Amino acid sequence: MRLENMPVEFQQALPLINTLEEAGYEAYFVGGSVRDVLLKRRIHDVDIATSAYPEEVKAIFEKTVDIGIEHGTVLVLAEDSQYEITTFRTEDVYVDYRRPSGVTFVRCLEEDLLRRDFTINAFALAEDGQIIDKFDGLTDLENKLIRAVGVADERFNEDALRIMRALRFSASLDFDIEEKTFEAMKVHAPLLEKISIERSFIELDKLLTSDYWRKGLRNFIDSKAYNHLTGLVGKEAQLENVLKNIKSDYFWFTTSEQAWAYLLINLEVENCKDFLKKWNVSNEFTKKVTNIYEAYKIALERVWEVKDLYKYGFDAFMYAEGLLEAEERDIDTSLLPQLTMKLPIKSKSELNINGQVLMNHFNRKGGIWIGQIISEVEELVVNGQLENNQDAILEYVEKELKEE
């Protein structure tokens, strides 16, 4: 098969391919970018593989950076762009179910493609547009099928993260997983326990935020992969609820935080912070997930109030509202705009008072009293019991101090 129209991303990188070939080496576009071109999807990263060894690549191009030279990768700086060029290689024995103990540089493209995970990721694209397909990946693309390259058991035993990648691809591409490949995934799923949780988080996160997340989650459940990820062991029924409770077939999670908040809601997690800490996510991510989670939970118990909006933020309630609507719960969609209009301040920084003003006005030294007073004032202003006016606030504080 020949690609008649090279996308602009490949056209811009063609001079590097030509330079390598003029120097006597083979060079091709490889990986997910080739797959995405064939599927008419947007290209993310353009990767180049070559028969030139790393030192030979560095000798050819003027500006290079060693970003992974021990694995054969050299970053080439070309005008306003940069490209990773990786030497054809084979991989030694995998010692941790994730990384090879070493790599061997080779001159043969087929040997390099043989080490890749799935047939739809094992294409090479020549500078003339010719698609090199050694493992019948074009047929799998046509049939919308994810199939391991070579022996599936070997691929997943080498790198267990490929299990999560297969699940993620099923969600992002709307592809089925070939039967033998899926069976091998189930057999080797326990190896996920040896993979860093950060890596598994990235793949599960991409799955949940994909267009076909329902298919991905269905495969995630059926593969039993969840039984080998922290906090999800034995949670099949709760994961099924994620699929069951969203009534609309046309609902997509807007953000990662919204997706994980809904996951935690259905998992019946009592403490979001403790759960997410095990996944090594950022404090900011944890806070946003928790805020959505709390906003959702409040709606099940009572009507949202101004103080809730102030505490958890507009975005949290907007995403919680989206979840409630997707569940077809009876909610007042006009409530959030009304609360927003009633909100006198959005943060403590908007108070017309601060510690320095209090110390100067009352001629008192700093101390714990300042924080206590400002917190009291903040609550009163948010609840509409005190005007956010400096004179009014100082008058209130003066009364409070006299009663001490």
Side-chain angles (χ1 to χ4, degrees), residues 116-130:
R116 297 180 183 269
D117 51 8
F118 308 112
T119 61
I120 60 172
N121 294 334
F123 299 116
L125 174 63
E127 54 87 22
D128 62 356
Q130 186 67 39

Side-chain angles (χ1 to χ4, degrees), residues 190-209:
L191 295 179
L192 286 171
E193 297 172 20
K194 300 180 181 294
I195 302 298
S196 73
I197 199 63
E198 294 92 344
R199 293 281 187 174
S200 292
F201 172 85
I202 290 171
E203 297 300 332
L204 183 55
D205 182 66
K206 289 180 178 179
L207 183 159
L208 292 172
T209 53

Side-chain angles (χ1 to χ4, degrees), residues 344-345 350-354 357-358 361-362 377-378 380-382 384-398:
I345 59 172
E350 293 184 6
L351 283 175
N352 283 323
I353 199 76
N354 58 42
V357 171
L358 290 174
H361 184 82
F362 295 105
V377 169
E378 179 184 21
L380 291 169
V381 169
V382 169
Q385 297 170 288
L386 180 63
E387 185 181 354
N388 188 27
N389 172 280
Q390 189 172 105
D391 290 338
I393 294 173
L394 289 173
E395 182 180 344
Y396 165 80
V397 174
E398 185 170 2

